[in-house]
Amino acid sequence: MMAVATLERDAELMLRVRDGDTESFALLLGRHRSPVIHFVYRMVQNQPVAEELAQEVFLRVYRSRANYEPTAKFTTWLFRIASHLALNWIRDRRHERGQESLDEATPDGMVRQVSDREISKEQAMVRESKFEEIRRAIHSLPEKQKAAVLMHKYEEMEYSQIAGVLECSESAVKSLLFRAYESLRARLAHMA
Amino acid sequence: MLNIKMTCPLQTGNADVLLDYCARSLDAERKAMLEKHMESCAECREMAGAQSQIWSAMDAFEAETISADFDRKLYNRIEELERVPAWERFWAPVRDYLQGQPAWRPVLSIAAASAVLVVVFVVRGDVPQPVIEPSGAIIDVRDVEQAEHVLEDLEMLRQFDAGSSGANAQKEVL
Ligand SMILES: [Zn+2]
């Protein structure tokens, strides 16, 4: 949940960036680096690409600083740029691949390593297969549904904020989410 | 307050109440009302059960570790950006674009230049983005694209200020 105080703090920092304070940009980056990269990663499902796109997101924020006005929620603007770049990348990629189904494919860069060395091999395998199932199920969602679900589930954004990012009404967001979760429930029913 | 009966959220198009319930973001009063409703509504009970399960199952899709040099790379790019004077940053892509048409150059003001860019934008008919190799490296981000980015970001800000929705960001993919 994005608290009001958080939003005000971001706007305040961005205004300082506008006035040439680079320290404030570092603070903003520190606050939003992980959420942005994680969101883009789950969208494109490729970590190197996610980091490149996230670089572009922050570069665009920096480039637009002179025109920043705190009339909008900073995070909404930030995620709008992020989802915009991620959606474009996905569309271009799909176009390149000639509409082939990526549903079952393992996207590039999806070689995962289990970071926690203490868990057993079996636990790691179970965790890995769960991860893979969820990843594929999310991957199979239409892009806008996917973006809505990722912001709702992993970024804990409210409907109004997701609506701001995706530039649609709150009821459209609820409908996107309803359909997305419906597909996920159907697809992952066996995991229950 | 619990005397107020909740109408079935699934039958009134308010399934978001069930999503909120499973995300544990429902306030205490509505949570109690929904739980009361679910005592007699098998459909909602079933949906909430299934939704709760996938909600927690989705935790398995963990994010990856971020590269240690992410910030350094970003600051290098910002530094590169800063080294170029502002007018040059705007003018260079236009000049590059007009290469091969030198007769135009002397008469182009910045305003005219931006008009040209807008035309480029419209003619191309798409939104520019970085070109990414399979390896993930951004290649060949040309100056024209850079200037387009600036226009695009400003446009996003402008739309934002106007509080408008829709306009030119992303196409509907539902
Ligand atoms: Zn019901």
Side-chain angles (χ1 to χ4, degrees):
Chain A
M1 282 351 108
M2 302 286 165
V4 174
T6 310
L7 297 166
E8 283 170 351
R9 173 83 177 132
D10 287 335
E12 196 184 293
L13 287 171
M14 194 58 201
L15 283 175
R16 286 196 206 148
V17 175
R18 188 183 72 178
D19 298 337
D21 177 12
T22 46
E23 281 295 303
S24 293
F25 183 78
L27 287 173
L28 273 174
L29 179 62
R31 287 160 74 84
H32 300 288
R33 183 197 307 103
S34 298
V36 167
I37 297 175
H38 292 166
F39 168 72
V40 178
Y41 162 72
R42 289 188 176 105
M43 280 296 289
V44 302
Q45 304 200 348
N46 177 318
Q47 184 68 8
V49 170
E51 290 194 16
E52 286 294 338
L53 292 174
Q55 293 256 325
E56 187 62 23
V57 172
F58 288 106
L59 211 54
R60 285 181 181 214
V61 167
Y62 189 79
R63 269 200 304 248
S64 310
R65 68 196 181 284
N67 300 81
Y68 179 75
E69 290 297 336
T71 47
K73 288 179 182 177
F74 176 79
T75 41
T76 309
W77 178 48
L78 189 66
F79 272 79
R80 189 184 281 186
I81 299 174
S83 56
H84 189 75
L85 289 172
L87 290 169
N88 275 332
W89 185 85
I90 292 168
R91 276 169 205 157
D92 267 23
R93 173 65 173 244
R94 195 197 297 124
H95 202 71
E96 266 170 36
R97 291 195 167 188
Q99 305 289 332
E100 90 183 64
S101 167
L102 299 172
D103 192 19
E104 299 303 324
T106 295
D108 308 332
M110 284 302 287
V111 185
R112 274 174 54 82
Q113 268 149 23
V114 179
S115 51
D116 189 352
R117 277 172 205 161
E118 280 163 34
I119 61 171
S120 73
K121 237 182 182 171
E122 270 161 78
Q123 280 174 310
M125 273 167 71
V126 170
R127 200 161 100 171
E128 198 56 22
S129 79
K130 262 190 171 179
F131 168 89
E132 200 45 33
E133 289 229 42
I134 303 287
R135 183 196 67 70
R136 285 183 181 188
I138 289 174
H139 187 73
S140 70
L141 293 173
E143 280 86 3
K144 219 166 171 181
Q145 286 186 27
K146 190 194 313 183
V149 159
L150 296 181
M151 284 186 269
H152 183 249
K153 164 69 186 170
Y154 301 103
E155 307 310 322
E156 300 185 340
M157 285 189 190
E158 285 165 11
Y159 301 121
S160 58
Q161 206 182 353
I162 300 171
V165 174
L166 297 178
E167 297 178 281
C168 58
S169 67
E170 234 179 279
S171 60
V173 167
K174 288 177 182 175
S175 144
L176 280 173
L177 288 173
F178 183 76
R179 278 179 286 153
Y181 284 122
E182 199 172 39
S183 307
L184 293 176
R185 286 196 301 273
R187 205 176 152 131
L188 301 169
H190 63 281
M191 282 178 82
Chain B
M1 59 185 166
L2 292 181
N3 293 333
I4 310 163
K5 247 187 145 181
M6 182 180 267
T7 47
C8 181
L10 285 177
Q11 270 154 39
T12 48
N14 294 311
D16 52 293
V17 175
L18 284 156
L19 295 186
D20 291 345
Y21 176 75
C22 299
R24 302 206 172 101
S25 59
L26 215 54
D27 61 68
E29 189 182 333
R30 297 221 299 163
K31 178 174 178 276
M33 277 167 72
L34 179 63
E35 281 172 348
K36 184 95 191 129
H37 168 75
M38 283 196 294
E39 283 173 13
S40 60
C41 181
E43 216 186 325
C44 281
R45 217 162 45 226
E46 204 178 295
M47 197 267 206
Q51 176 65 19
S52 289
Q53 264 157 351
I54 65 135
W55 184 260
S56 45
M58 283 172 80
D59 291 338
F61 190 10
E62 288 169 357
E64 299 269 323
T65 311
I66 298 167
S67 307
D69 62 350
F70 181 85
D71 287 12
R72 188 185 51 77
K73 274 189 190 165
L74 179 63
Y75 286 122
N76 283 347
R77 284 182 189 176
I78 286 175
E79 219 173 278
E80 261 171 51
L81 197 76
E82 294 289 274
R83 265 201 290 267
V84 186
W87 66 270
E88 174 67 16
R89 243 174 279 151
F90 193 79
W91 174 246
V94 181
R95 190 186 50 212
D96 289 353
Y97 182 73
L98 294 178
Q99 260 173 8
Q101 303 159 53
W104 284 35
R105 256 186 280 169
V107 293
L108 264 180
S109 66
I110 290 295
S114 45
V116 169
L117 259 187
V118 169
V119 171
V120 172
F121 212 13
V122 170
V123 167
R124 286 171 54 119
D126 61 358
V127 184
Q129 58 236 273
V131 182
I132 294 180
E133 276 186 316
S135 68
I138 291 193
I139 51 157
D140 191 31
V141 178
R142 293 159 52 227
D143 285 344
V144 169
E145 287 185 336
Q146 285 229 348
E148 285 176 343
H149 286 325
V150 175
L151 288 177
E152 191 188 336
D153 300 335
L154 295 181
E155 176 61 14
M156 268 197 226
L157 263 178
R158 191 195 59 72
Q159 283 176 28
F160 230 76
D161 294 345
S164 70
S165 60
N168 84 359
Q170 51 247 1
K171 291 158 227 157
E172 294 276 314
V173 177
L174 295 175

